[in-house]
Structures are given as structure tokens and as C-alpha cells.
Amino acid sequence: MRQADFPTDIRDLLFPAHTDAQMVYECVGCEAQYPLERFLYTCPGCGGLLRICDLTFDNLLDIPGPLWQKIFDYRRMLNDEGLKGIFLFHELIFPIIPLDAVINLGEGHTPLVRANEELSSWVGTNFSIKYDGLNPSASFKDRGMASAISFINYMIKSKGIKELLGICASTGDTSAAAALYLSYLPHDVVRSVVLLPQGKVTPAQLSQPLGSGATVIEIPGVFDDCMRIVEQLAEEYEVCLLNSKNPIRIQGQKSYSYEVAQQLDYQTHDLVVVVPIGNAGNVTAVMEGFLDLYRLGIIEELPLIIGVQSEHANPVVLWRQSGEYRPIEVRPSVAQAAMIGNPVSFPKVSRLVEEHFKERFAAVQVTEQEIIEAMLIANRHGHVVCTQGGESIVGLKKGVEMGLVFPNQRVVVDSTSHQLKFAGFQQMYFEDSFPEGYDIKPREELKNRPIAMEASAKAIARHLGLKKKR
Ligand SMILES: *Cc1c(COP(=O)(O)O)cnc(C)c1O
Ligand SMILES: [Zn+2]
């Protein structure tokens, strides 16, 4: 719809006007602030994590919550490229980035699909699944890359940067997203490098950065080892770190929560949101996103956030149980994208929980067997969820059993990537070929294999027990 065709009370608010915002990095430890004019990942003063802070956020309070709802809802009908993706929520993500510097590769606005009835009754409650696997590189990481790469693009344009090397460590999806988004920027300025733990990402995930033309470096070890190395590189060399430690990624990932609220017509009373936790960037962004909406009166209540972890990678669960945080050594997990023993964003999570979410945050632990079977069962009922989606679904089932979730609550489960990225684990289940350490014993009734037969209608009909037409 063209601007002139919108109702008059909305017409002048359609395009973001909060462009003179003052944004800074703020340390979550010592609260020192630093200008956004360079790339920073940790506080130069105390080494703490940084978040992006809009010092002029309160100016947004001039518009009442219900009017914000209307602006965001009408804006969906506007065909402006900069506002079509996650930057529909421009004021809440990166108001200082001009719309013509926004890179939108089709991310965000993923469907919220009501869970099939049989699946809901297996879980013990009705719920919906938000398919973040339907992003361009097939995971939610695109949300954060869209904001990060838009910011980089803005820096290249406004600061005349001539050379930039984007780098990340990855359990698979970060590198897929980073390589995709970086490859959209001018190749004479931007290079793209990803560090992967050898043999610990799926073939589909490995093919993605290779296909986008990134330099792919494999090292022995697990994700935590890759993370240590890119952190050192970012500290000592001129590189741009694109892990979720970089707060410019968290800004974009908040869009998940804005969309959930919008898809529920901003009715967040009794809402439960279930997310898998790996490096804890996602759960941080989800909480920050809802907090923004709450502060602006766009929603009236914060949801209950249930974070789910495998018992093979459960530092946040252990923290919630004991009150003490310590990194753990991970064991093999089919929820490989969340197989992280020392989540970088943990300090942000603990702070958000202590200051804002309190009892509205729970951490639930599930087994490897439960994760893969929840994925298989969901996908046998019309869904396309990944292993981390399976982890969320069975985490919800546990939450219901534990009394965290009551019947008739609104529940949204995050399926963070696409089923196809994790087809290898499905195959291992069907073939009973899990390497040692996964602790998964496939059950016959969930196995499925192709059946080789002769090319004969008669033989196939006999096999299927078909009745002849009369
Ligand atoms: C990255 C990732 C996660 C974990 O998210 P964090 O922000 O690391 O907690 C979960 N699922 C998928 C598919 C991912 O790519
Ligand atoms: Zn600090």
C-alpha cells in the first residue's frame, strides 16, 4: 500500500522518525559507556560484556503503546525495502541506521504454526511453533546477522572503511548466516572467515559458508575451542567478530519477540515462550525484546521464558538449580547448535533474570533420546522442526509435567532452524548408527527407511495390501 492510502493518523508515523537516537555500548558489568563509532565486543575497562543502549529510548514513550501496535501493524502493509524485514521494528533495533543502509535478505516474519492436535496432546498442552528455520539461511541467526551486517554497511558508508574481515566461530548456523550476509557486501572491501570445529557441524551447515564463498577454517575440538580462538583474534587483530558476543547481533535477534507479540495481537497475558539455550545469545535477545515492548506499554505482561538444555550441555540448568554458575565439559548432542559448555552471554542472562524476569524464567533439562524423538514425532505430525526445535518441544512437555505450564496458557515454542539441516541425525536414528556418547537407543516404531522393490505395480500393491477396484 502507498503511504498516501494509509489512515491520516498513521500516515506520518509510518516511517521511523527516531533517527536522531543516541546509541552507545554499555558494559553490563561496570556500566561504562562507549561510542558506537567502532567495533567493540567487551568492555575495555573491565572486560565485561557489552549491550547496545539507546540513551534516548524514553523519547519513544511519547507514543502510547496502543499507537505503537498500530504503527507496527500498518507498517507491514508498506512496501519499503528497509522496513520489510526485521527493521519493521527499526526504532527498537537500530534507529541510527538510515533505511537505505539496511540490508534485508528476506529474514524475519516467520510463521507461527499451531501444533497438530495429536502432538499437542502428546505434549500435554496446546501450543504454536515459530518456524525460524524459514529464514534465508534456515536459522534464526539471520535476524542477528541482518542487524550486524546493516550496521557494518552503515559504517562502511559513513566512515569510509576500506577493508573489513568478518569472522565467527560457529556450531554451524552462525557461520552459514554470517557468510551469507557478508557475501552481500562489496567484495573489494569485505572478507568473510568462519571457524568450525572439525566434524562437529552437519554436512548441510558446512556446505552453506562454502557456498557463500567464505574462507572456512576447521580446527580440532568443540565450539568452545573455536570461540576462544576467535576471541583472541578479535582482541589482537583488526577483525570484526560476528558471534553473538557482539551486541549488534543481539539487537536484531530481539525481533523474534516483537514478531511473537505482533502475531498474538500483543496479548501476552499468561504467555509462555520456550527456547533452546546454547551460547545464550538467543534467550538474551528474546528477554530483551519482550522487555522493550513492556517498557513502551506495547505489551502489558512479560512472558514466562523456559530455556531448555540437553543434559549433555546444561550449564544454565545447573546454575538455576544450584544458584552457582560454572562452565561444564559438553558431551555429544543431537542439539548440536546448542552444544556449548560455557555460554558467552551467560552474564546477560543472569542479570536479566535477576533484575526483570525473576520467577518468569525457568530452565528445563531434557535427555538426548527425548530431543531426537520429539523432533521425529513433531515432524510426523506436519511440522518441520530441527533437533533444537525438538529440544524446545520436549522441554515444554517437561514444563507441563513439572507444573510450570498450565492448560490453556498461550505457548510459543521456538524451532530455531530447519529440519533439513539436521537430516543426518534423523538418518542415524533410522539406521541405529549413533556414534558412542550420544546415549540414544532408536525405537522401532519411530524408524523409517526406504523400501527397495521391483518396478511392478502388482508387487507394490501386494506389499501395501491394496484392495482391487470393483
Ligand atoms: C545458535 C543456535 C541455537 C542456540 O542459540 P544461542 O544463542 O547460542 O543460545 C539453537 N538452535 C540453533 C538452530 C542455533 O543455530
Ligand atoms: Zn566494564
Coordinates of all heavy atoms in Angstrom, one line a residue, residues 27 30 43 46, ligand 2:
C27 N 28.5 -1.4 29.2 CA 29.1 -2.6 29.9 C 28.0 -3.1 30.9 O 27.5 -2.4 31.7 CB 30.4 -2.3 30.6 SG 31.0 -3.7 31.5
C30 N 30.4 -3.0 34.6 CA 30.7 -1.7 35.3 C 29.8 -0.5 34.8 O 30.0 0.6 35.3 CB 32.2 -1.4 35.2 SG 32.7 -0.8 33.5
C43 N 34.1 -4.8 27.3 CA 34.4 -3.5 27.9 C 35.9 -3.3 28.0 O 36.6 -4.1 28.7 CB 33.8 -3.5 29.3 SG 34.2 -2.0 30.3
C46 N 36.7 -3.2 32.1 CA 36.6 -4.3 33.0 C 36.5 -5.7 32.3 O 36.5 -6.7 32.9 CB 35.5 -4.2 33.9 SG 33.8 -4.6 33.2
Ligands
ZN2 ZN 33.0 -2.7 32.2

